[in-house]
Amino acid sequence: MNILYQDIKYLPGVGPNRQKLLKQELGIETFGDLLEYYPYKYVDRSKVYTVHELTGDMPFVQVIGRILSFETFEMGPRKERVVAHFSDGTGIMDLVWFNGGKYAMRNYKIGTEYLVFGKPAVFNNRIQVQHPDIDAAESLELSDMGMQPYYNTSEKMKKSGLNSRAIERLTKTLLSVLKDPLPETIPDFISSQLHLMGRDEALRTLHYPKDSKTLERARLRMKFEELFFVQLNILRYASDQRRKYRGYVFNRIGDIFNTFYNRNLPFPLTGAQKRVMREIRQDMCSGRQMNRLLQGDVGSGKTLVALMTMLIALDNGYQACIMAPTEILAEQHLQTIKTFLKDMPVRVELLTGMVKGKKRQEIYDGLLDGSVQILVGTHAIIEDAVRFAQLGMVVVDEQHRFGVAQRAKLWSKSENPPHVLVMTATPIPRTLAMTLYGDLDVSVIDELPPGRKPVRTSHVFDSRMTSLYDGIRRQIHEGRQVYIVFPLIEESQKIDLKNLEQGFEVLCQAFPEFRLSKVHGKMKPKEKEDEMQKFVKGETQILVATTVIEVGVNVPNASVMVILDAQRFGLSQLHQLRGRVGRGADQSFCILVTPYKLGEDTRKRIDIMCDTNDGFRIAEADLKLRGPGDLEGTQQSGMAFDLKIADIARDGQIVQMARDEARKIVDDDPLCQSAKYQLLWHRLKELRKSNVNWAAIS
C-alpha cells in the first residue's frame, strides 16, 4: 500500500485526539493530506542576531543565548505573567508569557543554551519577545535553517496545542518517515520539456525551502500538477461525451428561420452576433452534440441569438426549450420571444411552478404531440412528467444556477442528447471559463447593438442625498424612470427589509409629486408582478427594489440606477444591476451610494465600476479580489474549487500551459490506452477515487 494513504493517526506525535482535530478542522486524514497542507507564508531564519543588534521595529528574529532567571507577576485572579531574563553576552532581553508560563518554567532550564525566535518589541526600555519559539541550540543544524513555514490553523486547534509550530513539527516528522523518494505523477517527457522540478523535491521544498528562488520553482511544479490533472479530467470527459453521443444534424435553414430573419428581425445583427451564429451553425451541422457557452454582457443580444438557434431546430422538425433560473426571468424570456415572433405561427408556452391544473396538462399534451414547439420555463422543465415528442435544442440561461445533475436530466428527455447552448451575462474570465466550463466551447458577443450609449457610473457619498434627489427629479421631468436598489442580504434579511420599508417611506416623502412602486423577494408573486407591471407601463416613475431586479427586467425608458449601500454588493452584482439601464437610446446613469469610510477592497470595487463598463475587465478584477470560490454562483452550485496551491485568479498562464499539455495527450490518446500515458491515467483514476469533486469542477 502507498504510504501516503496511511491513516494520520499512525504518524508519531498525532494520536486519537489530534487525529480527530486534524480531520474536523483541516480535512487531514492521511499522510498524503498532511503533505499537501501547504504553508501560507515563510519567515527567513537564515540569520542569527545578537541581543545588542535588536530594535523594536524589526520583523521576526532569532538569537542564541541562555536563560539567566525566571520572574512571575500577578495579573489579577488566577492570571500571571511569566518573564525569563535571557542573555547572549552582548545584552539582556526578556521572554514573556501571558499564557503557558508554567509550561515554560517546567521545560526550559536556566543555563542551557537555546535558540529563541520571535518578534522583538520594546517595553520599559528593554527588548522583549512575547510567546517565543524556543529550541535547544544543539538540536538544530543552523546551516539547514532557511525559511520557516507558517501553517493556517483554527482557534480550536490552537487551544489544544495544535498551532502552526505543532503542524510544522508533524510535517517534519512525516518527511523523515518518507525515506524513499515520492513516486512521480508526471512523466519525464513533460517535466523535462517544461523544466519542472521533480515531485519529491518540490514537496519537500514547499515545506522547508532554502531560499525564495527554489521555493518559486517548487510552487510552479505543484501548481502545474494540480491544474494539469483538472484540465486532463475535463478534456477527457468532453472527448468521451463527443465520442459517445451523436448529435442531431440540423443542416436545414427553412421557412420559420427565413421568415423571422427577413420580416421580424428587430435590428441588423452585430458583427459579433453573426460570428457566434456561424460557430453555432458549424456545431449543429457537424453530427456531434453541441455544447457551447455563450458569453455576453447585459443587453448584447444573447436572447436573439438563442431564439434564432431554436428556430433552426424547429425548421429541422425538432422542439426547443429555454430554461431560466427564476420565474421572473422565464416570464421575461417568454415576452421577449413572443414579441420577436409577432404574428408567426410558432406555439410558445411557459412552464413554471405557477402554471397549474388544466393549463399545465395542456402543455404536457402539446409537448408530447409536438404542437408546443418552444417551451420556456424554470426547473419545472426537468420534472419527470415533462416529456417531449422530439427535443433537439436546449438553451440554459445563467448556467451557474443549475447543477450538473439538473442539466443531465434534460438530456434524458431525448433519444440523442439535444444540442446545448448555455448563456451567461456574468462575464467569466478565460482562466475560470477553462476550468468551470472546460467541457464547453466558448462564444463571446463582445459588442453592443448600434445606438446603445455606455452607462455613465459615478460614486456619491450618502451625505449628498439632497443633490442626488435633485438629479433624479430632473431625469423624471424629462420623461425618464428610475430604479432605487436597497441591499437585501440573506444573513440580515429582517434588518434589510425594515430598511427597505423605512427607505420607501422616506422616498415617498422626498418625491411627493411622483408615484413609486416597491418590489422585494418576500412579496407574493402576484403582488410583485403587479408592481413591476406598473413600472413597465410607466404608471410609476420610481421602482424601489432589492436585487430581485438583478436579472431579466427590461424597461428601455428607465435611465437611472441608484444603488444604495453599494459597498455591500459584489462587483458582479453591481455590474448586473447597472445592466438594467442603458437599454434605450438615451444616456443612462448608474449612481453608487456609499458611506464616506470604506475599506481598501471596497474602494477598489467602486473605482473599477466607475472606470469601465467592460464586463470581462470587471470579472477579471472580481476574480482577483474575491477568488474563484466566491464568484457569483460558483459557491452556491457546489463548484468551489478544491485547489490546494494553485490560484485560478493569479495563475492564468499556468492554467493555459496545463490545458495545452492536457489537450495534446487527450488528442493523442482519446481512449486512454497508450502505454506512454499510463502513469497519467493511473494518477487521474487515483484522484477521482479521492475526495476531489470532479463533477463539480467540470
Side-chain angles (χ1 to χ4, degrees):
M1 176 185 158
N2 186 333
I3 191 169
L4 294 179
Y5 295 127
Q6 187 92 283
D7 195 310
I8 197 69
K9 71 182 175 195
Y10 298 117
L11 184 70
V14 174
N17 289 345
R18 283 185 159 187
Q19 176 205 17
K20 195 174 164 190
L21 264 180
L22 286 166
K23 183 181 176 180
Q24 275 176 356
E25 300 296 296
L26 303 178
I28 292 174
E29 297 183 58
T30 64
F31 285 13
D33 292 340
L34 180 61
L35 194 61
E36 290 185 5
Y37 189 66
Y38 303 116
Y40 71 95
K41 71 168 186 180
Y42 303 84
V43 172
D44 188 358
R45 291 196 64 173
S46 54
K47 179 171 167 47
V48 177
Y49 291 83
T50 63
V51 173
H52 179 68
E53 290 176 285
L54 302 185
T55 61
D57 57 1
M58 292 172 94
F60 287 82
V61 297
Q62 53 190 4
V63 181
I64 292 179
R66 300 171 198 274
I67 294 172
L68 305 176
S69 61
F70 282 101
E71 230 180 316
T72 307
F73 300 88
E74 293 298 320
M75 289 178 63
R78 298 174 64 192
K79 279 199 166 186
E80 60 182 18
R81 173 167 58 105
V82 171
V83 177
H85 304 299
F86 181 89
S87 174
D88 66 348
T90 71
I92 295 175
M93 62 191 258
D94 291 339
L95 312 180
V96 183
W97 291 269
F98 296 99
N99 298 309
K102 285 195 170 72
Y103 172 89
M105 289 170 78
R106 260 198 325 272
N107 286 277
Y108 303 129
K109 305 285 183 279
I110 291 170
T112 301
E113 194 172 49
Y114 290 110
L115 180 88
V116 167
F117 177 75
K119 171 88 179 68
V122 176
F123 181 72
N124 285 345
N125 293 324
R126 187 183 274 191
I127 292 286
Q128 67 162 227
V129 174
Q130 294 180 10
H131 297 276
D133 281 347
I134 299 182
D135 291 287
E138 82 273 2
S139 70
L140 292 163
E141 286 281 336
L142 286 180
S143 59
D144 285 351
M145 296 195 66
M147 298 163 79
Q148 180 170 346
Y150 277 73
Y151 299 84
N152 276 317
T153 59
S154 66
E155 283 308 310
K156 197 172 175 185
M157 292 174 73
K158 283 171 191 160
K159 279 179 187 158
S160 303
L162 260 180
N163 56 10
S164 169
R165 194 69 201 278
I167 299 284
E168 186 210 331
R169 287 191 180 117
L170 290 177
T171 308
K172 199 170 199 172
T173 305
L174 173 61
L175 290 173
S176 66
V177 167
L178 300 172
K179 291 189 170 62
D180 297 326
L182 294 162
E184 197 43 85
T185 51
I186 289 179
D188 187 53
F189 65 84
I190 295 179
S191 298
S192 53
Q193 178 204 325
L194 298 176
H195 307 291
L196 295 175
M197 189 183 262
R199 188 166 198 261
D200 183 78
E201 187 189 353
L203 281 164
R204 291 176 193 273
T205 300
L206 275 169
H207 293 287
Y208 287 103
K210 291 283 189 292
D211 55 60
S212 52
K213 205 171 175 183
T214 321
L215 172 62
E216 275 317 301
R217 285 193 59 221
R219 272 198 179 127
L220 171 65
R221 155 64 206 227
M222 295 315 296
K223 283 179 178 186
F224 175 83
E225 177 176 324
E226 200 167 53
L227 293 166
F228 172 74
F229 282 107
V230 168
Q231 293 298 335
L232 189 63
N233 187 66
I234 290 167
L235 293 172
R236 186 202 55 80
Y237 167 80
S239 164
D240 276 2
Q241 297 300 96
R242 289 192 179 116
R243 256 196 351 275
K244 273 184 209 162
Y245 300 113
R246 290 189 54 75
Y248 295 120
V249 177
F250 292 168
N251 51 16
R252 184 165 179 266
I253 296 285
D255 290 345
I256 300 175
F257 184 93
N258 285 325
T259 303
F260 174 77
Y261 195 83
N262 296 321
R263 288 214 314 244
N264 287 21
L265 202 63
F267 45 75
L269 296 182
T270 62
Q273 285 173 313
K274 286 178 182 169
R275 183 186 70 239
V276 169
M277 281 307 299
R278 279 197 298 274
E279 291 166 353
I280 288 169
R281 285 275 295 123
Q282 272 178 332
D283 284 353
M284 289 176 137
C285 294
S286 70
R288 62 182 179 81
Q289 186 212 11
M290 173 169 79
N291 268 302
R292 189 164 283 279
L293 172 69
L294 176 57
Q295 293 195 65
D297 245 328
V298 176
S300 60
K302 294 184 301 298
T303 310
L304 180 59
V305 167
L307 174 61
M308 288 162 70
T309 304
M310 291 192 282
L311 296 182
I312 293 171
L314 269 54
D315 270 334
N316 285 272
Y318 288 82
Q319 294 160 294
C321 73
I322 178 165
M323 195 157 87
T326 64
E327 292 195 352
I328 287 182
L329 192 47
E331 284 163 16
Q332 184 83 40
H333 278 315
L334 180 77
Q335 293 313 320
T336 306
I337 289 169
K338 282 192 162 174
T339 307
F340 279 148
L341 292 174
K342 58 179 181 289
D343 306 329
M344 285 182 63
V346 174
R347 185 175 170 194
V348 185
E349 293 287 0
L350 176 74
L351 186 65
T352 68
M354 299 296 293
V355 180
K356 302 243 188 311
K358 192 177 168 199
K359 178 64 183 167
R360 199 175 186 92
Q361 192 54 50
E362 274 175 21
I363 293 171
Y364 288 168
D365 295 344
L367 288 169
L368 210 46
D369 66 24
S371 61
V372 172
Q373 293 157 286
I374 296 178
L375 182 65
V376 182
T378 54
H379 293 77
I381 292 180
I382 60 177
E383 288 169 6
D384 292 339
V386 179
R387 291 163 64 206
F388 292 81
Q390 208 45 315
L391 179 63
M393 179 71 227
V394 173
V395 178
V396 182
D397 196 10
E398 292 305 330
Q399 132 98 14
H400 61 250
R401 315 254 180 128
F402 296 104
V404 175
Q406 291 170 314
R407 295 201 321 275
K409 262 193 147 181
L410 273 171
W411 288 25
S412 64
K413 295 186 181 295
S414 187
E415 193 182 327
N416 278 350
H419 292 300
V420 177
L421 183 69
V422 169
M423 299 197 297
T424 179
T426 309
I428 302 156
R430 272 187 75 255
T431 52
L432 190 59
M434 275 192 278
T435 311
L436 251 188
Y437 304 121
D439 56 326
L440 303 178
D441 299 309
V442 180
S443 289
V444 179
I445 302 182
D446 48 11
E447 58 185 298
L448 291 177
R452 290 271 176 94
K453 292 176 184 162
V455 179
R456 281 191 203 149
T457 305
S458 52
H459 178 202
V460 171
F461 293 121
D462 52 16
S463 53
R464 304 280 313 279
M465 293 305 280
T466 312
S467 62
L468 175 59
Y469 289 166
D470 290 341
I472 289 172
R473 228 172 248 111
R474 279 195 299 277
Q475 283 288 311
I476 297 176
H477 283 310
E478 285 176 21
R480 308 280 163 261
Q481 287 166 280
V482 177
Y483 295 103
I484 298 180
V485 177
F486 282 79
L488 179 54
I489 314 297
E490 288 296 324
E491 300 89 79
S492 50
Q493 208 166 62
K494 281 185 182 155
I495 302 163
D496 282 341
L497 275 174
K498 196 173 161 196
N499 288 347
L500 175 82
E501 300 291 354
Q502 287 171 348
F504 185 71
E505 294 305 318
V506 169
L507 290 166
C508 287
Q509 288 164 21
F511 299 106
E513 71 272 45
F514 302 131
R515 281 182 306 205
L516 286 76
S517 289
K518 176 177 63 178
V519 176
H520 57 77
K522 290 288 170 191
M523 291 164 74
K524 291 193 173 84
K526 175 81 174 73
E527 206 181 340
K528 194 160 52 180
E529 186 54 36
D530 290 348
E531 289 291 293
M532 290 286 250
Q533 283 308 317
K534 283 183 201 168
F535 187 67
V536 171
K537 289 172 183 163
E539 292 166 17
T540 54
Q541 289 80 41
I542 298 174
L543 177 62
V544 180
T546 60
T547 52
V548 290
I549 62 155
E550 183 187 333
V551 283
V553 183
N554 185 9
V555 184
N557 192 47
S559 65
V560 181
M561 167 64 69
V562 178
I563 304 173
L564 301 173
D565 282 326
Q567 77 282 0
R568 293 180 61 192
F569 295 87
L571 261 177
S572 149
Q573 232 180 355
L574 290 172
H575 183 60
Q576 288 277 359
L577 286 167
R578 176 168 63 185
R580 297 300 109 217
V581 295
R583 301 175 88 84
D586 300 296
Q587 180 61 61
S588 291
F589 305 89
C590 175
I591 293 102
L592 308 175
V593 182
T594 71
Y596 187 72
K597 277 187 79 172
L598 292 174
E600 193 187 340
D601 272 5
T602 309
R603 199 171 287 282
K604 274 186 196 161
R605 277 207 305 275
I606 303 291
D607 288 347
I608 289 160
M609 285 297 296
C610 294
D611 287 348
T612 182
N613 282 293
D614 181 338
F616 287 93
R617 270 187 63 197
I618 287 165
E620 290 283 358
D622 203 17
L623 186 57
K624 286 201 168 83
L625 284 172
R626 298 204 286 160
D630 296 332
L631 264 191
E632 190 71 14
T634 55
Q635 203 76 297
Q636 299 92 297
S637 57
M639 288 182 176
F641 297 109
D642 185 23
L643 295 178
K644 296 188 171 95
I645 190 167
D647 179 335
I648 298 278
R650 292 171 181 82
D651 296 327
Q653 281 182 304
I654 307 175
V655 174
Q656 187 63 61
M657 187 163 84
R659 190 173 180 82
D660 291 345
E661 289 304 315
R663 165 79 64 205
K664 285 180 206 166
I665 285 147
V666 171
D667 288 349
D668 196 30
D669 185 21
L671 300 175
C672 312
Q673 290 172 345
S674 164
K676 184 181 177 184
Y677 303 118
Q678 281 318 296
L679 177 65
L680 296 174
W681 301 129
H682 177 69
R683 176 63 178 161
L684 196 55
K685 210 174 272 183
E686 275 184 347
L687 288 166
R688 290 175 70 86
K689 278 184 196 161
S690 73
N691 58 3
V692 178
N693 188 353
W694 290 104
I697 287 174
S698 73

